[in-house]
Amino acid sequence: MCDDSAIEQIKELIKAQNIAPEEVHFIDSGNYHYMSSILTDMVKEPFSLVVIDHHPDMQRPMFGDILSCGGWVLEVMRNNPNLKEVYVIGADSELIDKLDEEDKAGTRFYSRDDIFAGDSANPENSADPDDSAALSLPDTGYPIYLSLDKDVICKEELDTNWDQGDMTISQVLTLVKELLKNRKVIGFDICGEISFDQEDCDIEKALEVNDDFNRKIVQIVTDLCQTGLNVVE
C-alpha cells in the first residue's frame, strides 16, 4: 500500500532523477505495482492502458482512498483524465467475477485463449516469439501504456511472490513483442520479482529465471528500437 505522503515522496524522487513515463521501468515485486498508477499520472496525452496480469488489480481500497497494488487500475480509471480505455489480459476469471459490476464496466478482459485464439487447444504451439500468426491483439484506439506483472506466467516456468496464472514465458514474450511492434507504446513497466525471504521456491534458481526473462524483455525492446519502430517516444 502507498499513502498520500509516500506518493508525494515518490513523485519528488521521480522528478529529481528525471524519470519519465516514456521508458521501460522495472518496479520490483508485484507488491509495488501501484507504481504504475504514479507513472501513468505523468502521461500527458490520451492513452489506452493494457495490463498483462493474473490479477485484475481493481479492488476497492481497504482503508479510505489509499493506493494499493491490488487496486491501482481502479485508481487510474477513476482519477486519470487522459485514460480512455482499459484492457486486462490474463486475469483469473474468478477474480474478475468478484469485482463490482460498476467498477469493471467498460474494461475489456482477455483470457490466454482469447489472445492465442488461433490454437486455443494447444496455445504453446503458437507461443514462439518469432511466430505471431495465431495472436489476437486487443483493438486499442489510442497509444498504449503497457504494464506487465510476471505473475501471469505459470509457476512451473517462473516464480513470483503472488499466486500465478497459466501463460508460458514464450507466450508472454510473444504478446509483448507484438504489442510493441503493432502499437504506439508510450510507456512500459514490469513487476513480479520474487521476494528474497520466500520459502516456496529455490531463490537462486528463481532469480536466474527472472533475470533471464527481464533480459529477453529488454532485448525485444532494443531490437524493435533498432528497426526504427515507434516503441517509445
Side-chain angles (χ1 to χ4, degrees), residues 68-196:
S68 73
C69 64
W72 71 270
V73 173
L74 185 60
E75 173 73 14
V76 177
M77 291 171 64
R78 287 178 171 179
N79 297 310
N80 193 315
N82 286 315
L83 178 67
K84 302 302 179 183
E85 303 173 324
V86 180
Y87 302 85
V88 178
I89 300 172
D92 184 278
S93 59
E94 293 184 4
L95 296 177
I96 296 171
D97 290 341
K98 292 178 180 178
L99 296 173
D100 188 281
E101 291 297 325
E102 179 183 354
D103 292 341
K104 65 182 179 181
T107 303
R108 303 176 194 180
F109 296 95
Y110 294 78
S111 69
R112 178 194 66 180
D113 290 347
D114 290 331
I115 298 298
F116 294 89
D119 194 3
S120 59
N122 299 287
E124 64 276 5
N125 291 347
S126 60
D128 186 339
D130 296 320
D131 180 10
S132 59
L135 237 63
S136 179
L137 298 177
D139 187 18
T140 55
Y142 298 85
I144 70 171
Y145 184 97
L146 177 60
S147 184
L148 166 63
D149 190 332
K150 290 185 286 184
D151 68 19
V152 77
I153 298 170
C154 61
K155 190 170 179 61
E156 291 78 11
E157 294 200 4
L158 182 146
D159 283 293
T160 73
N161 69 327
W162 285 87
D163 58 299
Q164 296 180 224
D166 58 4
M167 294 183 73
T168 66
I169 287 176
S170 56
Q171 284 175 337
V172 173
L173 292 173
T174 298
L175 177 55
V176 168
K177 180 178 179 179
E178 293 307 309
L179 284 169
L180 293 175
K181 281 174 59 178
N182 293 286
R183 302 290 188 275
K184 178 184 178 182
V185 179
I186 56 174
F188 182 17
D189 65 51
I190 302 101
C191 68
E193 308 304 323
I194 64 166
S195 297
F196 288 100

Side-chain angles (χ1 to χ4, degrees), residues 6-16 38 41:
I7 291 172
E8 290 308 311
Q9 292 180 52
I10 291 170
K11 288 183 176 180
E12 288 176 7
L13 290 169
I14 286 174
K15 183 178 180 180
I38 297 173
D41 278 347

Side-chain angles (χ1 to χ4, degrees), residues 194-221:
I194 64 166
S195 297
F196 288 100
D197 59 353
Q198 278 183 228
E199 299 180 353
D200 61 346
C201 67
D202 181 329
I203 296 294
E204 184 175 345
K205 180 179 179 182
L207 284 170
E208 182 180 344
V209 173
N210 272 275
D211 287 348
D212 181 65
F213 178 89
N214 294 343
R215 282 192 292 269
K216 288 177 179 176
I217 287 287
V218 172
Q219 189 62 57
I220 288 172
V221 175

